[in-house]
Amino acid sequence: MVGSIKGFASLVQKENPKVIRTHCSLHREGLVSKVSQEDLKVLQQVSEIVNYIEKERKTEKKGEKVRKRKKKMKKEQKKKERERNRNKQKEMNKNRKRKKKRQKARKKGKEKERKKGEKERKIERAKERKREKNRREKVRVQVEVRKREEVRKREVGRREKVRKKVRRREKREKKRETERKEKRKKKYGERIGEKKEK
């Protein structure tokens, strides 16, 4: 059955090399029953070694299971920590957004107040400019009035001077006329008197 050349197992292995061949368990027990006591001692040692190896393997399996459990626990802990960190980050982001909104609201309020202040300042400046303009206009009008008054006074003075000159001329001319008339009278009076005497 288990011959290496013509055995059934070898022929089957030729067809399918993945087949595993083993001795029959009863046949193995029969072989063991023929072994001497000295060989049994060796077999006991071997069995102890095998059992020890089996135990070690089991303990290794258990250790692997424990390690896997620990790994799972660590992974779960890491997941939980990540979730906590995400939640913390979300909370922090929410708080930041709230702070930003508050700051924006404050800035808007300050901006409104600043704009109001600027409007008031602009209005005040415009009023000040108007006052300055009115004051300058008043000063300009006063200066123009003074100039006109001065011009009028000069004109009046000049006219008075002209009138005085005209009056003086008229007086001179009248004097001259009266003198001429008197001279004429004297001349003509003497002539008339001479004629009468003749």
Side-chain angles (χ1 to χ4, degrees), residues 136-146 148:
R136 287 178 183 172
E137 192 70 24
K138 283 179 183 177
V139 171
R140 191 178 62 77
V141 169
Q142 286 174 1
V143 170
E144 284 182 358
V145 168
R146 282 175 193 167
R148 284 174 191 169

Side-chain angles (χ1 to χ4, degrees), residues 23-103:
H23 284 283
C24 178
S25 58
L26 295 171
H27 187 237
R28 281 184 280 177
E29 285 176 2
L31 288 170
V32 167
S33 63
K34 291 177 184 178
V35 175
S36 64
Q37 286 184 356
E38 290 178 359
D39 292 330
L40 282 171
K41 286 179 183 178
V42 174
L43 283 171
Q44 279 179 357
Q45 288 177 357
V46 170
S47 67
E48 284 176 2
I49 291 163
V50 169
N51 290 330
Y52 177 75
I53 291 165
E54 194 70 22
K55 280 181 184 179
E56 286 293 320
R57 191 172 62 79
K58 284 180 181 178
T59 52
E60 281 180 3
K61 282 184 179 179
K62 284 181 181 178
E64 284 178 2
K65 285 180 181 179
V66 170
R67 283 174 209 147
K68 284 180 181 178
R69 283 176 191 169
K70 284 181 180 179
K71 281 183 181 179
K72 282 182 181 179
M73 292 288 285
K74 284 181 181 178
K75 283 182 181 179
E76 286 175 359
Q77 284 177 358
K78 284 181 180 178
K79 281 182 181 179
K80 286 178 181 178
E81 285 178 0
R82 285 173 191 166
E83 284 292 323
R84 285 173 194 163
N85 291 328
R86 283 174 190 167
N87 292 327
K88 282 181 182 178
Q89 196 69 28
K90 284 179 182 178
E91 284 291 324
M92 287 170 73
N93 290 330
K94 284 180 182 178
N95 291 328
R96 282 176 191 166
K97 285 179 181 178
R98 286 171 192 164
K99 282 182 181 178
K100 282 181 181 178
K101 282 181 181 178
R102 286 173 193 163
Q103 286 176 357

Side-chain angles (χ1 to χ4, degrees), residues 1 61 70 80 84 86 98 109 112-113 115 119 153 165-166 180 182 186 190 195:
M1 290 291 289
K61 282 184 179 179
K70 284 181 180 179
K80 286 178 181 178
R84 285 173 194 163
R86 283 174 190 167
R98 286 171 192 164
K112 284 180 182 177
E113 287 177 3
K115 283 180 180 178
K119 282 181 181 178
K153 283 179 181 179
K165 283 181 181 180
V166 169
R180 282 175 195 166
E182 284 175 359
K186 284 178 182 179
E190 287 176 0
K195 281 181 182 179

Side-chain angles (χ1 to χ4, degrees), residues 118-156:
E118 284 181 358
K119 282 181 181 178
E120 288 174 359
R121 284 176 207 150
K122 283 181 182 178
I123 291 162
E124 197 67 30
R125 284 174 194 162
K127 286 180 181 177
E128 195 68 29
R129 284 173 196 157
K130 280 183 181 178
R131 286 173 199 155
E132 191 68 22
K133 196 175 180 181
N134 291 330
R135 191 178 64 75
R136 287 178 183 172
E137 192 70 24
K138 283 179 183 177
V139 171
R140 191 178 62 77
V141 169
Q142 286 174 1
V143 170
E144 284 182 358
V145 168
R146 282 175 193 167
K147 284 182 180 178
R148 284 174 191 169
E149 195 70 26
E150 286 175 0
V151 169
R152 191 177 63 75
K153 283 179 181 179
R154 284 175 195 165
E155 192 70 26
V156 169

